[in-house]
Every structure is written in C-alpha cells, then in structure tokens.
Amino acid sequence: MATYVDDAWTALGDPSRRQILRRLAERPCSVTEIAEELPISRPAVSQHLRVLKEARLVLVRPQGTRRIYEVDLQGLATLREELDQFWGKALENFKRLVEEETEQP
C-alpha cells in the first residue's frame, strides 16, 4: 500500500494533474471536456489521466464511444488518511511545545 500512496502524492505534484482532479471532483467527464477547459492538449490530458489512474486517483468507464473519468473515492480516502496522520502528529507536537513553554518559569 505504501507504494500506491507514494505514487498518488507524486502524481499530485503536477499542477495540471491537480487541476484535472479538481475538475473531476466537480463531475465526471471525458478527455475532450477536460481539455476544453485547460490550456493543454487532449493527448496531454490523456497522459495525465493515465498517471492519475495508475495512482488510483481516478476511475474510467466506457460510455458509448467515450471514456468517462471520475474521482476514485477510495483512493482519495487513502490519501486523506495519510494526511490526517500528518496533521495529527503536527497537532501533538504543537501541543507539546505549548505545554513546555507554559511550564517554564
């Protein structure tokens, strides 16, 4: 599972992929629909979607002659769990630092 999470974080390191994921979070759509709203070509969008799919951040389903992409909620939940762990540790450390400061004369 660690490899998947690392791949997902790496996949989200690209601003275009983050834009695509934001777009798909609004509603499922095709490569053409995504490309119409972004300053990148359809082949580039397809390549970004492939990376996001491999990172388990998007799902694809056929609809007639088109392929419709949508957010993979399970993959996103896994990222959220890891982010929550970081946040929890950061809050614990902050609490510890504040308590240490208040204990000092």
Side-chain angles (χ1 to χ4, degrees), residues 54-66:
E54 288 173 1
R56 294 190 52 209
L57 293 172
V58 300
L59 300 170
V60 61
R61 61 182 159 79
Q63 186 179 56
T65 59
R66 301 181 326 157

Side-chain angles (χ1 to χ4, degrees), residues 9 75-85:
W9 288 113
L76 208 54
T78 301
L79 281 179
R80 173 69 189 261
E81 288 171 14
E82 185 166 317
L83 192 58
D84 285 346
Q85 288 174 5

Side-chain angles (χ1 to χ4, degrees), residues 23-103:
R23 175 69 176 88
L24 293 175
E26 293 173 11
R27 71 176 181 84
C29 50
S30 68
V31 172
T32 302
E33 292 169 319
I34 296 168
E36 287 173 351
E37 296 180 13
L38 299 177
I40 55 178
S41 67
R42 281 190 333 194
V45 169
S46 292
Q47 194 171 35
H48 286 304
L49 285 166
R50 182 181 50 80
V51 171
L52 291 169
K53 184 176 179 257
E54 288 173 1
R56 294 190 52 209
L57 293 172
V58 300
L59 300 170
V60 61
R61 61 182 159 79
Q63 186 179 56
T65 59
R66 301 181 326 157
R67 297 169 58 86
I68 303 299
Y69 292 84
E70 60 189 295
V71 172
D72 182 336
L73 296 178
Q74 187 174 7
L76 208 54
T78 301
L79 281 179
R80 173 69 189 261
E81 288 171 14
E82 185 166 317
L83 192 58
D84 285 346
Q85 288 174 5
F86 293 144
W87 182 243
K89 289 178 184 178
L91 288 176
E92 287 172 19
N93 286 332
F94 180 72
K95 179 183 176 193
R96 182 182 50 78
L97 289 171
V98 168
E99 289 171 349
E100 286 175 2
E101 287 181 9
T102 57
E103 290 174 2

